[in-house]
Amino acid sequence: MHQGLATGLSLIAARGVTKLVDIPISAVIPAEAGLVTHLTGRAVMGGAGAALAALPVEDGETMWVSTARTGGQIVRAAAIGGAIYDVGTAVRRRYGSDSPIQPLIISASALAGVLYTARRRRTARQEAVGKWPIVQEVTIPTAVGTAIAVNNFGRVVGWGYKASRDRWINYLGPGWSKNVMGRVINAGLWAGAGVAAYRAGVGKLTKSNDKIEAGYATPPVAPEVSGSADSVSTFEELGLQGRRFVVDVLTPEIIKETLGEPAKTQPIRTFIGFNTEPIYSTGRAELALEELDRTGAFDRSYLLLVSPTGTGWVDHTVVEAAELMTRGDIATCCIQYARSPSFLAVQQVALGRAQFRLLLWGIRERLRERAPEKRPKVLIFGESLGAWTSSDVVMHQGITGFDHYGIDRALWFGLPWLAKWSRSGMIRQTSESVPEGTVGVFDRHEQLAALTPDQRDRMRAVILSHDNDPIALFGPDMLVRKPDWIGAEARRGVADSIEWTPIVTFWQTAIDAANAMVTIPGDFQSFGHDYRADTARFVRDAYHLPATTDDQLERIEKALRTLELERSERIKASHIADAPPAPAEREDGGRAVSAGVPLVAKKAKGANWRRSLQGKHRS
C-alpha cells in the first residue's frame, strides 16, 4: 500500500510538471496543428531534455548541476508523455469521441507504467537483507489500487480548485485586473483552508498529550522522580509521555535482581512537561534545573540529559539500560518542547534546541562551583528528532562545543539527514571542528567493537545510524540527485537492485520514513529506525559505563524486553486493575498499597496558565 501511495503522489507531481512543461509548446504550436508538427515540437523538447539528462555525474557536484540533469530527465519524460497524448488526441479525432480506442490506449499505457514500477519496487524490497518488524504484505493489486485512489483524489482537488477559480473570475467580470484578482482570492481561500485543516489536525493530535492512561494514573511517591508530592511539576502537567517516563523508573530491587549484585542507590528521573510552562522555553529549563537541585541529581556519578521526540517520547530502553549498568547511580533529565508527532514538530526544532542549550548552560554553571572530582559525567542522548535538537546545540562548534558546555559524551540514534551534523559533514569528520577520531558513525555494534580501546576512548560522539534507516537517509536533495546509499556496496538491508527515479524515490522514502517506527513490543530489532536490539551494548560502550559481565549483559537485555512488554500492557490497559504494576509499585509480586492516589479523570486539565503569588504551581 505504501508503494501505491508513493506512486500516486508521484503521478500527481509528474502531471503537474507535464502541464508546466506543456505551456510553451501550446503557446508556440496551435492545438489545430497537425500531428507531425506536434510530434516535432515534442521531439525538440525531448532532445533538449535528453541533452541536460546526459550531464555527467560527478562527486561533490553542486545542486544546480544535479537539478539541471534531473530537470532534463523530467522534461524528456514529459515530452514522451505529451507525444502519447498527441497520438491519443489524433486517434480520437479520427475515430470519434465515442470510440473506446483512446481511453483504452491511455489506460493501458498508464497501467503498464504503474505495474512496471510496482513490480520493480516489490522485487527490490524482497531482495533486501533482513525483514521489517511487521510482515509487509506487498501486493501489486494493492499498490495499483492505492496509486489510482491517491491520483484520483489529487484530480478531484485540482478540479475543485479550478472550478472555484473560474467562479471567482466570472463573478468579478471581464478584464485582466479582475481576472488576476479572482485568481489571488481563490488561491488565498484555498491556502487558508489548507492551513486551517492542518492546524485542526495538529490540534487534535496534541490533545493526546492530556490523556490519562489507566496504567499510568498513579503518581509516584519516590522523591527522586518528578510528579511526586515534592516535585516542582505536578503529575498532571507531565503529559502522556512524561507520566510514563516517571512511573517506569527502575528500583534498586530490580537492579539487584537483574545484575545479581546490590544497587548503589535509587535512580533519579526528572521530567518537565510542556504544559508546566507552555509559553517560555526558558521557564521550562529553569524548572528542570530546580528539579535537578531538589532531587540531588548533581551528587550522582552520571547525569544523562535526554532530548525527546515531538510528542515528548523518551526511549525507555536506553534509560533503563543506563540505570541498570550504573547500578542506579545516575540521574536522567528530560524537557518536553512539543506535543505532536515528530513529522509535525519539525518546525519546533529551534525551540527544542534553545531549551536544551539553556539546560546545558545552567548545568555547566552549577558544576563549575564543584570540585572536578565531585562533578557527574554529563551524557547526552537523543533519538530521531531528539537527536536533531540535541546535536544542533553544538552545530557550529562541533566537538569543541562539548568542552564549552561540559559534555563528556553523546550518543545519538537515527540522526535525521536534515540535522546540521548530517548536512555540515560533522558525522563524516569533514568539518574542521571535528578532530579525527572524535566522532563515529556505526550501523551495528560489531563495527564499534572492532575499534581499539584507545580509539573508543578518543570518541566523544557515537552515532548509531542503520544503513537502511529512512529517517537518517531522507532529504529533499533526493528529488534531483541520486543519494549515495543507492548502489553503494556493503550496506546492510539495502537491496542492490534499488534504483533512483526522480520524484518517485523521494516519495517512496518519505512514506517509509513516516512508517519507520512500526515495532512489536519486546521484539527488539536492529533494522530501519528500530535500534532496540543495539541499545544495551551501545549505551555501555559509548558512555563508558561500569563494566558488566557477559552473563549480566545477557540478563540486562532480557530484562529490557520484559520491561517493555509490561509497559505495553500498562499502555493498553483499560482499567488500573488490568495493568501490570509499575516497577516502583511491586511488592511481593503484587501491587504496593503505598503507590499514591490514582487520578480519576481520563484527561488532564491542560496547560497551566496561572501562577500563585508564591510562584508555585496550582495543585
Side-chain angles (χ1 to χ4, degrees), residues 488-507:
E489 298 180 357
R491 293 188 69 93
R492 185 171 64 106
V494 179
D496 296 335
S497 58
I498 291 181
E499 298 179 0
W500 174 73
T501 304
I503 300 177
V504 176
T505 303
F506 172 84
W507 285 116

Side-chain angles (χ1 to χ4, degrees), residues 232 272 281-293 335 358-359 366:
V232 301
I272 300 299
S281 58
T282 304
R284 291 194 292 273
E286 291 175 349
L287 289 171
L289 293 169
E290 182 180 347
E291 190 76 335
L292 289 173
D293 283 327
I335 310 177
L358 290 170
L359 176 64
R366 280 164 171 76

Side-chain angles (χ1 to χ4, degrees), residues 210-221 227 235-236 238-240 242-248 570-571 573-577 579-580 582 585 591 595-604:
D210 299 328
K211 178 183 177 182
I212 297 177
E213 300 165 310
Y216 291 95
T218 306
V221 296
F235 189 60
E236 284 186 315
L238 295 181
L240 178 70
R243 287 187 285 273
R244 293 178 184 175
F245 179 71
V246 298
V247 168
D248 284 347
R570 282 193 292 276
I571 292 174
S574 57
H575 191 274
I576 190 171
E585 300 173 3
R591 186 181 300 277
V597 180
L599 302 176
V600 295
K602 294 184 178 181
K603 185 178 179 181

